């Protein structure tokens, strides 16, 4: 199929398909008369790339997942490995978001007379507390 058809069926622009090729996520298609011609299974691969991207996976992670993957390869073990790593990242993001939410809620209540007082009252992260205690 031509690049325009692949892009339309995947709900993308043709430029995204070319970018996926450039990044090594899609194998370069053969060309007929200078036009890219993709095999029918390219749609499955593009849809998987799109799905994973929408779920927050980086193109680098997707490339790693797809590297050497063939149609008859089991994907379960690869998904599990990638999922475990991503769950750890998400847990870290949740913790940072909760700390940020707490900070913002505190700032909404802030009645400090100066920046110095405000900084002293904040529940600073351990790293910032350690920096603040260092002698100058």
């Amino acid at each position: 199929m031509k690049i325009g058809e692949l892009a339309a069926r995947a709900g993308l622009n043709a430029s995204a398909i070319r970018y996926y090729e450039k990044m090594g996520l899609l194998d370069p298609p053969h060309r007929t008369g200078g036009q890219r011609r993709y095999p029918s299974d390219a749609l499955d691969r593009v849809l998987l790339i799109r799905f994973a991207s929408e779920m927050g996976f980086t193109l680098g992670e997707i490339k790693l997942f797809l590297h050497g993957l063939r149609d008859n390869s089991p994907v379960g073990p690869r998904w599990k490995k990638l999922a475990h790593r991503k769950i750890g990242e998400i847990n870290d993001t949740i913790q940072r978001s909760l700390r940020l939410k707490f900070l913002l809620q505190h700032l909404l209540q802030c009645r400090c007379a100066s920046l110095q007082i405000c900084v002293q009252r904040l529940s600073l992260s351990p790293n910032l507390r350690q920096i603040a205690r260092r002698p100058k």
Side-chain angles (χ1 to χ4, degrees), residues 96-112:
R96 279 192 312 274
S97 296
L98 289 172
R99 286 193 306 268
L100 177 58
K101 181 182 177 185
F102 175 78
L103 173 64
L104 293 173
Q105 287 171 332
H106 173 78
L107 292 176
L108 288 173
Q109 306 301 318
C110 183
R111 305 264 189 271
C112 297

Side-chain angles (χ1 to χ4, degrees), residues 9-12 20 42-53:
R9 291 180 66 187
L12 296 169
Y20 291 164
L43 179 60
D44 292 330
R45 197 169 180 98
V46 170
L47 290 173
L48 178 63
I49 293 166
R50 185 168 179 200
F51 169 78
S53 182

Side-chain angles (χ1 to χ4, degrees), residues 15 27 45-46 68-69 77-79 83 87 91 97 108 110 112 117 126:
S15 60
D27 292 332
R45 197 169 180 98
V46 170
L69 186 65
R78 286 178 182 234
W79 275 128
I87 287 170
N91 285 335
S97 296
L108 288 173
C110 183
C112 297
I117 294 170

Side-chain angles (χ1 to χ4, degrees), residues 55-71:
M55 292 295 105
F57 291 97
T58 66
L59 291 182
E61 290 169 332
I62 297 168
K63 183 177 180 179
L64 187 66
F65 172 77
L66 292 174
H67 180 72
L69 186 65
R70 301 287 173 241
D71 288 339

